[in-house]
Amino acid sequence: MTSSTPFHNMDHYLAIPRVSGLALSPDGKRLVTTVATLNNKATEYKSALWELDPEGARPARRITRSAKGEAGAVFTASGDLYFTSARPDPETSEDDPVNALWLLPAAGGEARVVLSRAGGISEVLTASAAEATFVSASVLPGAADESEDEERRKSRKDKSVAAILHSGYPVRYWDADLGPAEPRLFAIEPDTQADTEKRADAAAVPTTVDALPPLKLRNLTPHVRGQLRESHSSVSPDGKTIYTTLNRGVARGDMRGDLVSVDTESGTMRTLLDTEGLDFYAGPVSPDNGTLAFVAESHTTPQEAPRVRMNLLDVATGQSRELAPDWDRWGHPVAWLPDGSSVLVTADDDGASPLFAVSVADGAVTRVTKDASAYTNVLVAPDGKTAYALRSSYEFPSEVVRIDLASGEVTRLQAPAERPSFPGKLERVETAAADGVRVPGYLALPEGASEANPAPLLLWIHGGPLGSWNAWTWRWNPWLLTAKGYAVLLPDPALSTGYGQDYIQRGWGDWGKNPYTDLMALTDAVEKRTDIDHTRTAAMGGSFGGYMANWVAGNTDRFKAIVTHASLWALDQFGATTDAAMYWLKEMTPEMIEANSPHHHVENISTPMLVVHGDKDYRVPIGEGLRLWYELLSKSKLAADDDGKTPHRFLYFPDENHWVLQPQHSKVWYGVVEQFLAKHVLDKDLGLPETLGL
């Protein structure tokens, strides 16, 4: 077996550069992306901005560099480039720099800070056809202005006060404690008073010709409380309107996402759509500023899965209509063609997430990209003939590509790094479930797998559960295990997206039925292959995949080992303690929770299990992992013996969340998983990572 790929060495794998984000200048001549690389100690990733040639003729070049890194690139209408960074401002002596707004002029030169504030800058938004810039930034709600906000932040820090008084729900999200700061939208504009004072002093305090006039923030949403948390905002091309979701608290701790507009001149906020049982998400605004593309997602019930529908809103009349109502996919509008004739849309579709063009006139859907890849961050060139995007699949991580919108031809642009070669091959597989429905997936096969040398099999179950194995993932990467000789099966069972509404509904509220039997059916089919060793198999999953790994453990003994990461164990306990209980408690009745909870089957578990959980996981709180661990040791068929020994293991990360993000922790995660699988699947003893101290 070759050892020439970065997947054979975890240090090499962690060093693969990671591309994210994309920005295109208004004239279509400059394309900027963000590239994250390991620092010298290999303890964290630092990002930098790179410029790519849209024509693909010139090599990529790095345009920023600092220890703190840069991100959030966005062009202004005049071609200047804004980004955010916490790197020190060379013109000040801040001891603890915050994430500030930086400007890289279109004409060239060094980047400079144009706006810094105590609470930092979260996101930059610009208008495509006007010199209008906006930011999202957090404020302490009791502060009257920016000066008082800074004073209150300093007071809390100096007195080591972290307490937060809540009056609503939610109180945390993924791995973040919400509050006391709340997000607001601000307009950035010249500070005329400060500029006048500066000009008056100009004779006494000479300066260079490149000095920028001072800027200030104008709060456009002073009274929204925490309702802009996790909202995506869209700016009209003329910069006169921002469209966003306002997450309103309603009865019994529930929430609803209303669609609102903010007049950027007056700050007037107007509710456009507020419908019980629906959440609205703003998409792109048409080139003539007259139409907003948006998504409406229905609230779930125990009987009905969510439905996601694309719509168009006439902003003058307030009338909306559904776009492509007969299309059985969950489309997400990403860009308009310059002539306003079509909206470009991405959607999960049969193991991919292609780019589609949807006609505004009649809703006709045309698939643009033909390959089995996932497309994100789509931007359209001024001539409307070309688009740029990030593309990934299980054969390569995110890369910047140019798309010919007429032919669908996709060209990979000269990149900051070469594609990593992977050890094996990827195949599309499928079988028929008991009800006759097609169950698809991917199979990553190691090099050398054959009838004479069949590979052990790992069943990897995706999270969500509303998702699909259709794009590259750094956290659950099959090639790290194929490099060790395993075949990795990536199924899309019932509840997976990209196969139509009925496929999702097949598993709704019955997680332990069709989703489970679909997984077993595809595993059965793959195990019949002559290049697979059906006597050496294991199952793995994270989040919902972890739930399903737990369900598998209690309902079959066919696997030699099971790895369960950030998993749901006792559904009645999980429902009220997750960070988003208002969603979960609408999905299942108490009877459904009882019928589908894996913890009821702990006495059946005879398979060694590796439990993995992070203490900062608020989506699946640590209580799930702690209870699972104790009940495995006290109630399973492999419970601790008279000497307190058990084949089960618990890998605990005190400072990780739903994902294991720190590079060295990721190395530990894969090392422990590899050791656990080798022991129980391959009957081999491998060493544990030395950094565990064992």
Side-chain angles (χ1 to χ4, degrees), residues 528-552:
K528 293 177 182 178
R529 294 168 57 118
T530 58
D531 53 2
I532 298 297
D533 184 350
H534 71 277
T535 68
R536 298 187 296 168
T537 61
M540 304 172 61
S543 195
F544 170 79
Y547 159 89
M548 192 54 69
N550 294 338
W551 187 265
V552 167

Side-chain angles (χ1 to χ4, degrees), residues 318-400:
Q319 298 298 308
S320 65
R321 62 182 176 90
E322 191 170 349
L323 181 64
D326 299 326
W327 191 34
D328 193 18
R329 292 293 183 269
W330 288 2
H332 298 278
V334 292
W336 287 77
L337 293 187
D339 63 3
S341 62
S342 295
V343 178
L344 296 183
V345 171
T346 59
D348 288 355
D349 184 59
D350 199 9
S353 188
L355 181 65
F356 300 88
V358 182
S359 169
V360 170
D362 58 11
V365 179
T366 303
R367 180 167 175 167
V368 177
T369 57
K370 310 301 191 294
D371 58 346
S373 299
Y375 289 82
T376 63
N377 300 84
V378 180
L379 303 168
V380 180
D383 62 7
K385 298 178 180 179
T386 304
Y388 301 92
L390 297 185
R391 174 183 68 172
S392 79
S393 78
Y394 275 101
E395 295 182 315
F396 48 85
S398 288
E399 58 188 22
V400 183

Side-chain angles (χ1 to χ4, degrees), residues 369-636:
T369 57
K370 310 301 191 294
D371 58 346
S373 299
Y375 289 82
T376 63
N377 300 84
V378 180
L379 303 168
V380 180
D383 62 7
K385 298 178 180 179
T386 304
Y388 301 92
L390 297 185
R391 174 183 68 172
S392 79
S393 78
Y394 275 101
E395 295 182 315
F396 48 85
S398 288
E399 58 188 22
V400 183
V401 297
R402 183 178 67 246
I403 305 166
D404 185 299
L405 294 175
S407 68
E409 180 182 356
V410 180
T411 304
R412 180 176 185 261
L413 299 181
Q414 291 201 48
E418 293 304 314
R419 274 188 188 179
S421 57
F422 57 88
K425 62 180 180 178
L426 190 69
E427 294 184 9
R428 191 73 168 145
V429 293
E430 63 179 68
T431 194
D435 58 3
V437 173
R438 168 178 171 260
V439 180
Y442 285 106
L443 180 65
L445 281 166
E447 295 172 338
S450 64
E451 183 174 0
N453 183 35
L457 179 67
L458 299 181
L459 165 65
W460 280 25
I461 310 165
H462 71 63
L466 302 177
S468 169
W469 287 122
N470 61 14
W472 185 272
T473 170
W474 295 105
R475 277 296 309 120
W476 288 79
N477 195 289
W479 304 116
L480 288 166
L481 275 300
T482 63
K484 305 301 180 183
Y486 296 93
V488 181
L489 175 61
L490 306 166
D492 276 349
L495 291 173
S496 299
T497 53
Y499 305 96
Q501 190 72 26
D502 288 345
Y503 198 70
I504 296 170
Q505 192 66 45
R506 283 181 67 239
W508 194 255
D510 270 332
W511 289 5
K513 292 186 178 179
N514 280 334
Y516 168 68
T517 56
D518 284 359
L519 291 170
M520 295 304 100
L522 192 55
T523 303
D524 288 341
V526 169
E527 285 183 351
K528 293 177 182 178
R529 294 168 57 118
T530 58
D531 53 2
I532 298 297
D533 184 350
H534 71 277
T535 68
R536 298 187 296 168
T537 61
M540 304 172 61
S543 195
F544 170 79
Y547 159 89
M548 192 54 69
N550 294 338
W551 187 265
V552 167
N555 285 273
T556 180
D557 60 0
R558 67 186 291 173
F559 298 102
K560 299 289 187 182
I562 291 176
V563 180
T564 180
H565 174 99
S567 65
L568 289 69
W569 175 242
L571 296 189
D572 57 344
Q573 169 183 279
F574 164 78
T577 58
T578 178
D579 62 350
M582 66 283 191
Y583 295 120
W584 166 252
L585 295 176
K586 287 185 285 191
E587 290 196 13
M588 289 189 182
T589 64
E591 294 76 18
M592 295 161 79
I593 289 173
E594 184 77 7
N596 288 278
S597 190
H599 81 285
H600 291 307
H601 304 279
V602 65
E603 290 87 354
N604 299 333
I605 294 178
S606 60
T607 306
M609 295 188 70
L610 171 60
V611 179
V612 187
H613 222 110
D615 201 86
K616 292 288 289 182
D617 186 350
Y618 295 163
R619 180 53 46 95
V620 182
I622 186 61
E624 296 298 299
L626 295 174
R627 181 170 173 178
L628 167 57
W629 177 238
Y630 179 73
E631 293 188 350
L632 285 175
L633 268 60
S634 61
K635 297 181 180 181
S636 75

